[in-house]
Amino acid sequence: MESDDELIAIVSMECRLPQADGVDEFWQKLVDGDSAVRDLTDEEVAAAGVPEGRRSRADYVKRAGVIDGLAEFDSTYFGYSPREADILDVQQRLMLESSVSLLERANIDPHRTRQRIGVFAGSGMSTYLFGALRRRDLVESLGEMVIRHGNDKDFLATRTSYKLNLRGPSVNVQTACSTGLVAVHSAVQSLLLNECDAAVAGAVHVRLPQHAGYRYQVGGVLSPDGVCRPFDSGANGTVFTNGIGLVLLKRLRDAVADGDEVHAVIAASAVNNDGAEKVSFTAPSVSGQVEVLSDALQISGAKQTDITYIEAHGTGTALGDPIEIEAIKQAYGLDGAPCGIGSLKGNFGHLNIAAGIIGLIKAALVLKHGYVPPTVNVDEVNPALELDDSRYFVTTEGLPLDRGTEHWAGVSAFGMGGTNGHVILKSYEPTPAEEPAHQPADDAAAAGPSILTFSARSEDALRGQAAALADRLAADPDASLAAYAHTLREGRTLHPYRASLAAVDRAEAVTRLRSGRYHRGAESGTNEIAFVFAGQGTQRQAMGAALATKNQHFARRLAEAVAAVNEHTDFDVNTYLGPDGPVDGIDTSVAQPLLFAVEYALATALVDAGVRPSYVLGHSLGEIVAATVAGVFDLRSAAALVATRARLMGGCPTGSMLAVDRLDEFRDLLDGGDLVVAATNSPAQFVLSGTHEAVAEAVARAADAGVRHQRLATSHAFHSPLMRGAAEEFRAFLHTVEFRAPSIALVSNITGRVLTEYEARSPHYWADHLLRTVDFAESMETLRAAGVRRFIEIGSGRSMSNLVRANLASDTELTPELAQTLGELEHEEESFADAVALGWAADPEVPVEEYATAARMVSLPTYAFERHVHWVEPTLGFGSDDDADAPVTASVSVPAPVPAPAAAPAPAASAADNGSADLDGPTEEIRAIVAKIFESFIGAPATAHEREFFELGGNSLMAIQLINKLRETFELDFSVRDFYENSSVSATTNVITSLLLEEPAHV
């Protein structure tokens, strides 16, 4: 290529091969010089369906490269019903999952990116199709078209683009063994023509059954012992194996601008065909190979001697190896710097149409790591290659490269039929300005908390995501949480099940991820948040001071609240907010305005951050703050109200309060009026309030009865008759206050219900508030019944969180999500950020950018697929078997053939003659039959009778087959329109019942 503007960057790579479930495992296998082709047991070969007479022959080779877990697929991620996933070609499944991982390695969310992403890929002929077509039940239920559609390689690229929302060119490439490399060439050309901004390129090949060997034929291309020996003197054939390889390509200038990791740079690519000047259609041609190598070299602008490593096609055949070496010598010259030649086919066998792309991935890793792995199974280099007097040598041993020098490598792939591909790579070293900016781990706390957000298509997959993220963090001592947070927010697709957490250091994040202590949310279900405001007694020294220095929203709101309160007090609230501010034993007249200012600032700062509650409730004083946030009072009115309330309560006669875990032992003491229940905090926590003498007697009673109890550090008996004088004066003051209807549902701690507008605007309600029992337990019951499970504590400490947890402890179906706005004094900023994280889990529109700041994204684990078995037993070759109706898959069972109704309801002259009671039996029988038909198409029980066929995973092709099945079963004309408008089990049943009665359907 003539200039850097024409260079193409490899920004991510993905592969899945025998004994190598990813690029790292693939590279380690190469470095270790291990082979992934293994011996097959006779039991495995027999289980693959190979007849005993064939597998016992002396020329039958029991060797293969096997991909583990091939029957497993995450159908949920891609929106497939279980039945359709069962018949989808395994090659296309691998393509879908690997493409997701490939994009995530490049930190691209295809649903949000503005880049046009193309797909250039090919697959082998589907041998999975043979097994599916032998299954009469599948063909009858799904239809031959659906099965062929799921296995036709014409749909490989377009299916990937559709399922992943990719909008660039989507093109299948099919050139036999050179497919993978030709796909790369096609992608490069598309990028250079600006048809796309990024391109997925590669190939997949899977031959089934995997555990079947092959018959050796003398003079054929296959090895007699199942060992591939590239360039060895004993090279006598190859062995075909299975695998997938993909790369994501971008124009280099774009990759640098996007901050991508560049593994290697494609300097040139070329493709041609041998034409007719060769021995046979499948034979290689020296001239064709020379031409394609020379074309690529010329385009690259490199000199012949710049190329110091070639990843050859290297099939290990007596004919192919010498022809390839001769072509290399002619194209790259005999003299100059030493040039190593290698082939991965000794390790992994011949990956068929994926061979070229896997070779490209290997060569890119060679340049990235500065190391050439050994070519295995070479005991003696074939003398017929005549390498002794040339600059070329077979890399039989590992070879380190000089890391201070730019290196060039060539990659070849030659397809049967004569299409040749060659790519020239060069190493890439980013300039210092391009290096990612890493935040030292020691500075993490100083930088403040980060919010990690992640999501998945199911709860199980979400746990898998958390585990993978924890493992990566634990293994990365230099991890920047900010970079992790930025990458998760910008570089990952948002899925229906969400999770989030805030942390300031790596160890804490790992602990929370592994223990499941992260906030959860989902598209379905309730995502309402309740703000829970703490009451008097929760104040502490320097409350909110640390947060105010770091969070401008909170600092501004706190200043507003303090200024409003100070207008109505004879002290400055700021005196009690500093590190030296006295809070122990402060008077009620000080404590309540102080708590009000801080809690109001916390709640409004959270709302400013995008976290909006659906419910608010508070404990005693906390309900005043909750009402202010809900709009019942404006800030100035609320400040005057709180200051007046606190002053009046502080002027009442003194008293005591006692917390106990049950009430039965105190019933007689509660009858006299000197002792009352001030609060029902939970089913096992109550607060008694009254005179000093009455409380002292209750303490003695509790000690004698073994009741757990604790005196509270209060100067007054709040929520008792001792507050009556304050309540009367407060009522008079309240008549001067302007009330409004709450704009947020406000749960009363007196009635336990959502406050009505009348109650909210009643001076009597707020005056009686000083006297009445705080029924926090009933308030929590109201929220539990409403399905609320997310609670943010507004205030310092965890007292309200503990009460919420205590009230929901008996509900096994509702696990609360809790966050505190001010946790421990030294973690205030982190606690507030964690409350924002809970808000994001409930609503991903909550912005978290300020908690995910980093210059560049980093490499993180890819999606943790939740795979299940989807499998149709494969068959050998093209043969048919009339007895092939075995169970379809290990994940589902095939329902018995659907019988016709024993007797349809008799037609009637009018609807009046057919009361609904008479139809219950036949209708339920029809419903059961319809449900079984649905199940046979969907592949899972159709228990949700109200869900539409298409919501259950059906598609239009399947619908046509299902409609025909309904017509045949019930012997009636069930139209396509009828089904599309009534496609649930229940609606379809109603239509069929009406048709059987010759009445119009009313649905």
Side-chain angles (χ1 to χ4, degrees):
M1 297 181 183
E2 296 179 357
S3 69
D4 285 353
D5 288 341
E6 295 179 316
L7 295 176
I8 301 298
I10 300 174
V11 298
S12 71
M13 303 184 290
E14 183 68 21
C15 66
R16 190 169 170 192
L17 304 167
Q19 299 181 31
D21 196 16
V23 171
D24 291 340
E25 292 181 23
F26 166 63
W27 177 246
Q28 193 60 52
K29 206 80 172 170
L30 294 173
V31 170
D32 294 342
D34 292 339
S35 173
V37 182
R38 67 172 178 87
D39 292 328
L40 301 171
T41 67
D42 195 59
E43 291 75 16
E44 287 177 316
V45 177
V50 181
E52 195 280 333
R54 189 187 310 174
R55 66 178 185 267
S56 63
R57 293 174 58 104
D59 59 358
Y60 192 81
V61 182
K62 300 174 186 175
R63 296 266 295 172
V66 176
I67 298 178
D68 293 331
L70 199 61
E72 298 172 358
F73 176 57
D74 191 342
S75 58
T76 300
Y77 185 98
F78 299 101
Y80 283 109
S81 69
R83 178 67 81 235
E84 191 171 7
D86 288 341
I87 59 91
L88 183 63
D89 182 22
V90 293
Q91 296 176 116
Q92 307 225 12
R93 303 181 197 175
L94 287 173
M95 181 69 188
L96 289 172
E97 290 188 348
S98 297
S99 295
V100 170
S101 299
L102 182 79
L103 292 172
E104 290 199 345
R105 291 194 189 282
N107 294 321
I108 293 176
D109 174 6
H111 294 276
R112 286 188 294 167
T113 186
R114 302 180 69 177
Q115 300 178 43
R116 298 161 300 159
I117 302 175
V119 179
F120 300 85
S123 67
M125 181 180 68
S126 174
T127 52
Y128 191 68
L129 174 65
F130 303 154
L133 288 178
R134 291 170 65 228
R135 292 293 313 282
R136 288 192 305 243
D137 60 317
L138 287 178
V139 175
E140 289 179 2
S141 62
L142 295 177
E144 186 175 315
M145 182 176 292
V146 172
I147 295 174
R148 291 189 182 277
H149 185 275
N151 287 268
D152 193 330
K153 59 186 178 182
D154 277 3
F155 301 115
L156 178 76
T158 51
R159 176 174 279 112
T160 302
S161 294
Y162 170 65
K163 288 295 184 180
L164 273 61
N165 192 40
L166 309 181
R167 301 179 181 273
S170 191
V171 181
N172 263 48
V173 178
Q174 299 297 156
T175 60
C177 304
S178 58
T179 294
L181 210 58
V182 174
V184 169
H185 171 78
S186 301
V188 166
Q189 297 305 308
S190 185
L191 287 164
L192 293 177
L193 291 171
N194 286 308
E195 294 176 337
C196 57
D197 304 304
V200 176
V204 56
H205 175 264
V206 176
R207 170 183 169 268
L208 297 172
Q210 282 200 102
H211 294 88
Y214 60 88
R215 284 186 63 186
Y216 167 67
Q217 292 179 312
V218 177
V221 72
L222 296 175
S223 165
D225 58 1
V227 177
C228 183
R229 301 175 174 84
F231 312 120
D232 184 64
S233 59
N236 55 2
T238 195
V239 54
F240 286 103
T241 54
N242 298 328
I244 183 172
L246 297 174
V247 294
L248 187 69
L249 307 179
K250 284 185 178 182
R251 290 177 288 273
L252 178 59
R253 64 177 182 272
D254 294 340
V256 171
D258 293 341
D260 294 320
E261 178 182 8
V262 178
H263 300 281
V265 171
I266 296 177
S269 66
V271 171
N272 72 357
N273 192 275
D274 294 334
E277 295 182 2
K278 56 181 182 176
V279 175
S280 69
F281 176 71
T282 59
S285 164
V286 172
S287 62
Q289 293 183 22
V290 170
E291 183 178 347
V292 78
L293 270 61
S294 300
D295 286 349
L297 181 63
Q298 181 179 3
I299 294 169
S300 72
K303 300 187 296 291
Q304 288 179 321
T305 54
D306 288 337
I307 311 300
T308 56
Y309 176 71
I310 295 174
E311 176 62 24
H313 195 53
T315 57
T317 59
L319 177 63
D321 287 359
I323 287 177
E324 182 171 10
I325 295 298
E326 179 59 29
I328 290 172
K329 289 190 286 189
Q330 289 188 31
Y332 285 112
L334 296 175
D335 300 322
C339 179
I341 298 175
S343 171
L344 60 81
K345 291 181 177 61
N347 307 89
F348 288 94
H350 193 328
L351 291 153
N352 206 293
I353 69 168
I357 186 63
I358 300 300
L360 182 80
I361 292 173
K362 175 188 172 182
L365 292 170
V366 165
L367 298 178
K368 178 181 177 180
H369 295 295
Y371 180 79
V372 180
T375 298
V376 301
N377 300 333
V378 183
D379 295 328
E380 177 188 12
V381 175
N382 187 354
L385 304 180
E386 299 180 352
L387 296 178
D388 291 343
D389 297 325
S390 71
R391 69 187 187 100
Y392 304 99
F393 63 96
V394 177
T395 55
T396 56
E397 297 180 354
L399 176 66
L401 302 178
D402 182 358
R403 298 305 298 267
T405 304
E406 183 179 70
H407 293 280
W408 296 69
V411 183
S412 293
F414 311 124
M416 286 187 177
T419 295
N420 307 305
H422 192 67
V423 172
I424 293 179
L425 301 176
K426 69 175 181 177
S427 57
Y428 179 79
E429 289 295 331
T431 63
E434 296 168 14
E435 290 283 4
H438 289 294
Q439 171 193 324
D442 293 342
D443 296 339
S450 295
I451 294 180
L452 304 181
T453 57
F454 53 100
S455 64
R457 299 285 298 179
S458 69
E459 285 280 7
D460 286 344
L462 191 70
R463 286 189 286 271
Q465 295 285 84
L469 193 57
D471 290 346
R472 175 63 61 85
L473 267 172
D476 186 2
D478 297 323
S480 161
L481 281 184
Y484 272 56
H486 175 57
T487 304
L488 289 167
R489 185 178 69 86
E490 292 292 333
R492 294 295 184 268
T493 298
L494 180 63
H495 299 296
Y497 292 85
R498 304 178 293 271
S500 59
L501 63 92
V504 294
D505 62 63
R506 183 172 63 97
E508 178 192 9
V510 169
T511 299
R512 289 190 63 180
L513 287 166
R514 286 180 170 168
S515 62
R517 289 189 297 111
Y518 42 80
H519 306 300
R520 297 167 177 82
E523 276 186 10
S524 60
T526 57
N527 284 305
E528 288 89 353
I529 295 174
F531 282 6
V532 186
F533 295 78
Q536 187 174 343
T538 59
Q539 64 271 13
R540 68 163 186 234
Q541 195 170 36
M543 181 173 53
L547 179 63
T549 63
K550 298 291 185 66
N551 188 298
Q552 61 180 350
H553 298 297
F554 174 70
R556 176 172 57 84
R557 290 295 194 173
L558 183 61
E560 292 175 358
V562 168
V565 170
N566 282 346
E567 291 182 14
H568 305 282
T569 61
D570 56 2
F571 60 89
D572 184 354
V573 172
N574 286 309
T575 305
Y576 299 91
L577 292 175
D580 299 323
V583 293
D584 292 336
I586 59 175
D587 188 78
T588 296
S589 63
V590 176
Q592 291 191 14
L594 171 64
L595 281 169
F596 172 83
V598 173
E599 291 185 9
Y600 174 84
L602 287 170
T604 51
L606 264 185
V607 173
D608 291 342
V611 182
R612 303 186 183 278
S614 300
Y615 296 87
V616 290
L617 73 156
H619 195 285
S620 189
L621 168 69
E623 188 168 336
I624 305 294
V625 194
T628 307
V629 172
V632 175
F633 317 110
D634 61 36
L635 176 58
R636 295 189 65 184
S637 298
L641 184 154
V642 168
T644 302
R645 181 181 190 270
R647 177 176 52 79
L648 293 173
M649 293 176 72
C652 289
T654 62
S656 299
M657 302 183 79
L658 178 70
V660 295
D661 67 351
R662 59 182 186 267
L663 292 177
D664 289 346
E665 285 80 356
F666 309 99
R667 295 296 181 190
D668 60 322
L669 298 180
L670 295 171
D671 294 336
D674 289 337
L675 186 72
V676 297
V677 178
T680 302
N681 287 331
S682 77
Q685 185 181 347
F686 307 88
V687 177
L688 306 179
S689 180
T691 63
H692 295 296
E693 296 77 12
V695 171
E697 185 177 354
V699 169
R701 179 78 60 86
D704 291 343
V707 176
R708 285 185 296 176
H709 61 285
Q710 180 181 0
R711 277 185 179 271
L712 303 185
T714 61
S715 57
H716 293 76
F718 301 124
H719 297 281
S720 79
L722 294 178
M723 294 286 110
R724 194 174 304 281
E728 292 302 323
E729 290 190 55
F730 191 45
R731 193 188 322 274
F733 165 80
L734 287 169
H735 282 288
T736 69
V737 174
E738 181 182 353
F739 299 90
R740 292 187 296 269
S743 59
I744 303 171
L746 172 61
V747 182
S748 167
N749 64 193
I750 292 178
T751 67
R753 296 178 282 99
V754 174
L755 207 63
T756 65
E757 181 179 349
Y758 173 79
E759 290 169 325
R761 303 180 69 168
S762 168
H764 300 286
Y765 174 85
W766 296 107
D768 289 347
H769 206 266
L770 278 63
L771 302 169
R772 301 280 296 275
T773 300
V774 174
D775 199 344
F776 189 81
E778 187 62 26
S779 299
M780 284 302 303
E781 177 59 25
T782 293
L783 292 177
R784 187 202 65 76
V788 179
R789 58 186 292 267
R790 293 175 180 80
F791 302 88
I792 297 179
E793 178 168 356
I794 308 297
S796 64
R798 301 172 182 271
S799 59
M800 292 296 101
S801 296
N802 291 335
L803 287 185
V804 169
R805 193 176 285 109
N807 277 282
L808 298 178
S810 62
D811 192 335
T812 58
E813 296 182 0
L814 196 155
T815 302
E817 297 278 351
L818 299 166
Q820 297 78 40
T821 45
L822 290 181
E824 291 75 12
L825 181 62
E826 62 273 19
H827 297 305
E828 285 188 350
E829 188 185 10
E830 181 183 0
S831 292
F832 189 87
D834 202 51
V836 176
L838 183 149
W840 182 91
D843 177 9
E845 294 298 317
V846 171
V848 294
E849 289 85 352
E850 65 179 290
Y851 299 102
T853 56
R856 296 181 185 275
M857 289 187 270
V858 295
S859 176
L860 293 183
T862 57
Y863 189 84
F865 289 110
E866 184 192 4
R867 297 184 173 108
H868 297 288
V869 172
H870 294 283
W871 194 242
V872 175
E873 197 61 37
T875 184
L876 287 168
F878 297 88
S880 62
D881 184 354
D882 290 339
D883 298 321
D885 288 325
V888 61
T889 126
S891 63
V892 295
S893 60
V894 181
V898 180
S910 68
D913 296 331
N914 290 276
S916 59
D918 295 335
L919 290 176
D920 285 347
T923 299
E924 287 306 310
E925 181 181 359
I926 293 169
R927 187 190 307 274
I929 295 169
V930 171
K932 281 187 174 295
I933 293 175
F934 268 64
E935 290 170 21
S936 70
F937 279 80
I938 298 301
T943 53
H945 288 169
E946 303 307 320
R947 293 185 65 191
E948 302 294 322
F949 177 72
F950 303 98
E951 292 178 8
L952 295 169
N955 60 42
S956 57
L957 290 175
M958 295 166 65
I960 296 300
Q961 300 297 320
L962 187 145
I963 291 166
N964 286 327
K965 186 68 175 178
L966 292 170
R967 288 171 173 167
E968 294 170 6
T969 301
F970 294 100
E971 298 181 347
L972 47 76
D973 186 15
F974 187 54
S975 72
V976 173
R977 179 176 179 179
D978 277 343
F979 182 76
Y980 271 72
E981 293 178 352
N982 307 279
S983 69
S984 70
V985 169
S986 294
T988 299
T989 299
N990 291 343
V991 172
I992 290 173
T993 302
S994 296
L995 290 171
L996 290 171
L997 291 171
E998 297 182 350
E999 293 179 359
H1002 299 286
V1003 292

